[in-house]
Amino acid sequence: MVFFRSISRGISSSLSKTRYGYYRKLRFLSNIPENTVYGGPKPQNPNQRITLTTLRQKYKKGEAITMVTGYDYPSGVHIDMAGIDICLVGDSASMVVHGHDTTLPITIDEMLVHCRAVARGAKRPLLVGDLPFGTYESSTKQAVDTAVRVLKEGGMDAIKLEGGAPSRITAAKAIVEAGIAVIGHVGLTPQAISVLGGFRPQGRNIDSAVKVVETAMALQEAGCFSVVLECVPAPVAAATTSALRIPTIGIGAGPFCSGQVLVYHDLLGMMQHPHHAKVTPKFCKQFGQVGDVINKALLEYKEEVANGSFPGSAHSPYKIGASDMDGFLNELQKLGFNDAASAAAAAAEKIQTS
C-alpha cells in the first residue's frame, strides 16, 4: 500500500489545476521525447476538421470544394498544410505508385497501408478511401465489410465506390445504412475498363449523357453525399450538377462541377518516366515541375558522391573528443588494426581542416 500511495502522490504532483479540474502535463509518462530528431505535422484544432457538415455548408454557399488524391504520409502532410478539403486515397495508387497499367491489381490490404499512411499526415481534410476492384461487387455484405475495414483499419472518414449498375447502387445504400459516408463515381470508371473497352470518356452521345445524369441521381437517392464525375463533357457535368442536391467533384469534367480533384503526383508534375507519361491524363494541369527538380537533385547528389565533395564537414556533425580519439587509436593498435588506426587519424585531421 505504501508503494501505491507513493505512486498516487507522484501522479498528483504532475497534475495542474484548471477551472474545470485537473489535466495531466504532456510530458508526464509520455512516450514522446522532449526533443525529437524528426518533426511531423502539428495537430490541428478538432474544430477545424473538415466534415460532411463543412462540405454541405460550402456547397450551399456555392464555394468550390477541393480534393486531391494522395497515397502516403508526405502527400498527406502537404495536402493538409495546403488546406485542401478532401484527401482521397485512390486505387489509382495501383498505377501511380505500384507501376501497374490499370487500377485493377491493387488489393484491400495494400490500400489499407496507403490509407493509414495518409491518415497519419493529413489531420484536417476529410479522408476518403477507395474500395478497390473485387472487394465490394459480390454482395452487400462484402461491400459493407470492406467499407468497415477502410474506416476501422485505414483511418478514413468515408469511402468511394465506382459505377452505377443496380448492384453498385444497392451496395452504396447498404454502406450508408451501415453508418458510413459514401462518395459515388460515374462517367469513366477505371475499374470497368474491361466493359468500357479502355480508358474512354463517357457521356459523348445522347444515351451515354443521359445515363451519366441518371446514374448520379440514383447514387444520390442511395444516400451518397457527393459524386465524382470523371471524363465527361462539360455540358453533361453541368446538367448533372444542376440536377443533383449534393456536390459533384469533377476530374476531366470541365469547370461547372461543385469541386475538382486531381492526383497529387499529376498536378505537381512529379513523374517523368515514360510509364507515367502514358498514364497521366490529358485533362491534368501541372501546377509545378517537381519531377524536374527531383531529377536535378538526384544528379547533383550522384555527382557529389562520385567526386567526394559530399558529405563534407558540414554534413558530418557527430564528433569524438580528442582524448577519446587518442584512446580509440590506441585500442585499434592494440588489436593489431594499424591500418584502421591510420585511416581514423587521417579522417579526423581531414574533418578538422575542411
Side-chain angles (χ1 to χ4, degrees):
M1 291 299 294
V2 173
F3 173 74
F4 290 112
R5 282 197 297 270
S6 65
I7 290 179
S8 177
R9 285 195 297 269
I11 292 175
S12 298
S13 66
S14 70
L15 302 177
S16 298
K17 189 73 166 65
T18 72
R19 59 181 294 189
Y20 303 108
Y22 288 98
Y23 67 88
R24 185 164 298 182
K25 292 180 180 178
L26 178 63
R27 288 181 57 197
F28 180 74
L29 294 180
S30 173
N31 63 345
I32 303 173
E34 181 179 3
N35 296 304
T36 57
V37 176
Y38 300 106
K42 290 182 171 55
Q44 298 284 345
N45 184 330
N47 296 326
Q48 295 176 337
R49 283 294 304 271
I50 299 295
T51 64
L52 265 60
T53 300
T54 312
L55 297 177
R56 292 190 187 105
Q57 290 172 345
K58 294 193 73 168
Y59 173 66
K60 288 179 180 179
K61 294 177 183 177
E63 298 176 359
I65 295 169
T66 54
M67 179 192 289
V68 172
T69 302
Y71 311 109
D72 56 19
Y73 175 81
S75 61
V77 171
H78 288 143
I79 291 167
D80 185 290
M81 293 175 67
I84 300 297
D85 296 317
I86 305 173
C87 180
L88 171 66
V89 184
D91 61 353
S92 49
S94 177
M95 302 171 73
V96 179
V97 177
H98 296 271
H100 297 295
D101 289 330
T102 73
T103 64
L104 303 185
I106 198 165
T107 67
I108 182 60
D109 289 328
E110 289 171 327
M111 282 296 300
L112 290 173
V113 171
H114 289 293
C115 287
R116 287 191 291 267
V118 169
R120 285 190 284 268
K123 303 300 183 184
R124 179 184 179 275
L126 185 81
L127 302 179
V128 180
D130 259 338
L131 299 191
F133 178 72
T135 65
Y136 63 101
E137 297 89 347
S138 297
S139 66
T140 55
K141 181 181 184 304
Q142 183 199 33
V144 172
D145 288 347
T146 303
V148 167
R149 290 192 69 190
V150 171
L151 266 65
K152 291 189 71 172
E153 299 177 41
M156 299 288 99
D157 302 310
I159 65 94
K160 181 174 76 65
L161 55 75
E162 290 187 11
S167 61
R168 305 297 175 90
I169 304 298
T170 301
K173 188 172 187 295
I175 294 169
V176 172
E177 289 176 350
I180 298 171
V182 177
I183 295 183
H185 184 155
V186 301
L188 169 58
T189 49
Q191 292 178 10
I193 59 170
S194 177
V195 294
L196 294 177
F199 294 102
R200 299 182 181 277
Q202 302 297 300
R204 301 179 72 182
N205 58 52
I206 296 172
D207 290 342
S208 181
V210 170
K211 183 179 179 181
V212 169
V213 178
E214 290 179 341
T215 302
M217 293 188 69
L219 287 165
Q220 173 183 265
E221 294 307 309
C224 293
F225 72 89
S226 180
V227 175
V228 170
L229 304 177
E230 181 168 358
C231 293
V232 300
V236 176
T240 307
T241 301
S242 177
L244 295 180
R245 304 182 307 277
I246 58 176
T248 57
I249 308 295
I251 178 165
F256 306 111
C257 297
S258 311
Q260 299 290 330
V261 57
L262 286 176
V263 170
Y264 177 84
H265 297 67
D266 292 345
L267 73 89
L268 292 178
M270 184 174 288
M271 299 302 188
Q272 307 299 319
H273 190 274
H275 168 78
H276 292 281
K278 180 175 66 174
V279 302
T280 299
K282 292 189 296 185
F283 57 74
C284 181
K285 177 179 179 179
Q286 293 186 342
F287 291 83
Q289 297 295 326
V290 174
D292 291 339
V293 176
I294 291 173
N295 289 338
K296 181 175 182 293
L298 288 171
L299 289 171
E300 289 181 1
Y301 165 73
K302 175 186 173 183
E303 177 63 24
E304 290 195 12
V305 171
N307 65 30
S309 60
F310 176 83
S313 59
H315 297 99
S316 303
Y318 309 111
K319 310 299 181 185
I320 181 170
S323 60
D324 288 318
M325 184 64 190
D326 289 339
F328 177 50
L329 295 177
N330 289 333
E331 290 300 321
L332 288 175
Q333 289 170 346
K334 289 178 184 178
L335 294 169
F337 298 147
N338 293 327
D339 290 343
S342 298
E349 182 178 355
K350 184 175 181 180
I351 287 292
Q352 289 176 354
T353 57
S354 61

